[in-house]
Amino acid sequence: MPKILVADDSIAVRKVAERLLTEAGLGVMLAANGEEAMAVLSKEQPDLIVSDVIMPDKSGYEVCAFVRSQAALSDTPVLLISGIVNDEVTRQAESCKADGVLKKPFQGTSLKDRVLDLLSRRPQRDATPTPATEAGAHTNGSVAASSVKPEEPQKAPDIGQAQLEALRQAAARLGEAEVALRAERERTAQLAQRIAELERESARTKELEAQLAAEQERSAILEKRATDAELVAGRVQELEAALSAERDAAAQLVQQFNELEPAARRAGELEASLAAEQRQAAELSQRLADAQRQIQRMGELDAALATERERVAQLSRRVVEAESAAGRVKELEALLATERERVEQATKRASDSELAAQQANKRLEDMARKLAEIAGLASQLGNGKNKL
């Protein structure tokens, strides 16, 4: 089964790539960054490498250059993946001798198709002939030679040469067996050392089991989050289409942050912005309600002010009327003084004529009654003025 190394700092991309390649019947190894990918490559020899272009420590270009610098890995296909594929990305991919660049997020089976295509085009190593094969060839040749001339008797030197060749082959196989035996002994020693280490670490079994259970639970949570991230990634694609004009104007900025900001995080930021807008809208609605209440209060105050103004106008009219009444009182006082003078004249003339006196008395009585009325009216006006 071909082994594929996938290096990407986004767990969502790693999960999607692992699922697609596993469904294609391929073995998958995962690395969370460039340093981790190089550490895996120092121990393993995958059949193909899929690496993200922008990662926190080592970039995909550096990973590809590392592969090409290793003799055991130099012919391993390297497929770079990037959220932005433009002339600059293509140029750098060619500079580090990558086998291709694929845009992410992946569309359908694009990743699987590219990986299978690169695996099919990878050159196969020629198998070296074994000594047994060569011996078989020599033996067949001898048999063929003997079959050509069956009538000739075998010569002693020919038999000795065949035996010598067989001994040489046996010696070569013995040397190989000794090398294999030494390798097996070294492996046995390593296994014994590993068994001793495992025996020393047996006390940590329960703790490791607990950690394994916690890691399994975390893996389940991460798988769920990866599934959610795939759904969010679809939503992000729609949002990216709506923001294509801004992306064209800031292509370099998108290239730097596209890989650093996973699709799920960008969607979260958009949701946070939406929540902030909703809070701001709620605040504006509250302020609008407060303003409407203030406007209603202003209307009530305007009505009260109009009522108060009308009351003040009525009071002003009453003051004017009171002032007019006061002027009328002064006129009545002047008339009273004049009338008193006339009464005095009438009194003087009373002695001259009783008729004149009677008439004067009657007039005086009438005048006294009028004066009483005037005095009452003056008293009422005075009281009204004091109240004002």
Side-chain angles (χ1 to χ4, degrees), residues 242-282:
L243 297 174
S244 59
E246 286 76 4
R247 285 189 173 184
D248 292 338
Q252 295 299 325
L253 184 60
V254 172
Q255 181 179 356
Q256 294 175 2
F257 287 95
N258 185 64
E259 305 300 332
L260 297 175
E261 293 294 333
R265 186 180 301 174
R266 292 196 320 205
E269 291 175 357
L270 293 175
E271 290 177 356
S273 300
L274 178 60
E277 290 294 334
Q278 290 176 346
R279 288 194 298 271
Q280 185 177 4

Side-chain angles (χ1 to χ4, degrees), residues 1 7 29 61 64 81 91 133 183 219 222 237 281 306 331 349:
M1 176 188 295
M29 298 181 294
Y61 307 125
C64 183
I81 56 177
R91 184 187 64 78
T133 305
S219 297
L222 290 176
Q237 288 180 354
E331 294 178 357
R349 292 171 60 185

Side-chain angles (χ1 to χ4, degrees), residues 61-328:
Y61 307 125
E62 293 176 289
V63 173
C64 183
F66 173 80
V67 172
R68 296 292 178 253
S69 66
Q70 303 298 312
L73 300 170
S74 59
D75 62 343
T76 303
V78 178
L79 175 63
L80 298 179
I81 56 177
S82 174
I84 295 295
V85 178
N86 53 22
D87 295 339
E88 178 63 20
V89 174
T90 304
R91 184 187 64 78
Q92 294 192 37
E94 293 175 353
S95 176
C96 67
K97 299 181 180 179
D99 293 272
V101 182
L102 179 63
K103 189 178 186 305
K104 64 176 184 179
F106 311 123
Q107 301 294 331
T109 60
S110 58
L111 175 64
K112 180 181 69 176
D113 295 340
R114 288 293 296 275
V115 168
L116 294 176
D117 179 62
L118 290 175
L119 288 174
S120 65
R121 290 189 294 171
R122 183 181 182 184
Q124 300 296 328
R125 294 186 177 90
D126 296 333
T128 58
T130 61
T133 305
E134 294 177 354
H138 286 292
T139 304
N140 293 335
S142 301
V143 173
S146 61
S147 62
V148 174
K149 295 181 179 181
E151 70 278 0
E152 293 182 0
Q154 295 181 354
K155 297 179 180 180
D158 295 337
I159 294 174
Q161 186 69 24
Q163 291 178 351
L164 180 62
E165 184 66 25
L167 289 174
R168 287 178 180 175
Q169 294 175 3
R173 288 196 296 272
L174 180 60
E176 293 176 358
E178 289 177 353
V179 172
L181 179 60
R182 284 195 298 270
E184 189 64 26
R185 285 177 179 174
E186 291 178 0
R187 182 182 176 187
T188 302
Q190 292 176 355
L191 289 175
Q193 182 180 359
R194 180 58 179 165
I195 290 172
E197 293 176 356
L198 291 175
E199 289 176 353
R200 287 194 299 269
E201 294 178 357
S202 61
R204 298 179 54 197
T205 302
K206 292 183 179 181
E207 180 182 354
L208 292 175
E209 289 177 353
Q211 292 179 357
L212 178 59
E215 190 65 24
Q216 288 175 348
E217 183 178 357
R218 181 185 175 190
S219 297
I221 295 173
L222 290 176
E223 287 179 0
K224 184 178 182 302
R225 291 178 62 186
T227 303
D228 296 339
E230 290 179 8
L231 298 176
V232 173
R235 177 60 179 167
V236 170
Q237 288 180 354
E238 298 177 359
L239 295 174
E240 288 177 348
L243 297 174
S244 59
E246 286 76 4
R247 285 189 173 184
D248 292 338
Q252 295 299 325
L253 184 60
V254 172
Q255 181 179 356
Q256 294 175 2
F257 287 95
N258 185 64
E259 305 300 332
L260 297 175
E261 293 294 333
R265 186 180 301 174
R266 292 196 320 205
E269 291 175 357
L270 293 175
E271 290 177 356
S273 300
L274 178 60
E277 290 294 334
Q278 290 176 346
R279 288 194 298 271
Q280 185 177 4
E283 292 176 359
L284 292 174
S285 299
Q286 183 65 30
R287 291 175 62 184
L288 179 60
D290 295 339
Q292 290 177 348
R293 286 194 294 271
Q294 290 179 358
I295 292 172
Q296 184 178 0
R297 179 60 179 168
M298 289 176 62
E300 295 175 356
L301 292 175
D302 288 339
L305 179 62
T307 304
E308 191 65 23
R309 285 178 178 175
E310 184 177 356
R311 182 181 174 187
V312 170
Q314 292 176 356
L315 291 175
S316 298
R317 287 194 297 271
R318 292 180 63 183
V319 168
V320 171
E321 292 175 356
E323 290 177 352
S324 300
R328 182 63 177 167

Side-chain angles (χ1 to χ4, degrees), residues 2 7 53 55 71 114 189 202 227 343 354 381-382:
V53 169
M55 289 185 286
R114 288 293 296 275
S202 61
T227 303
V343 168
E354 290 182 358
L381 292 175

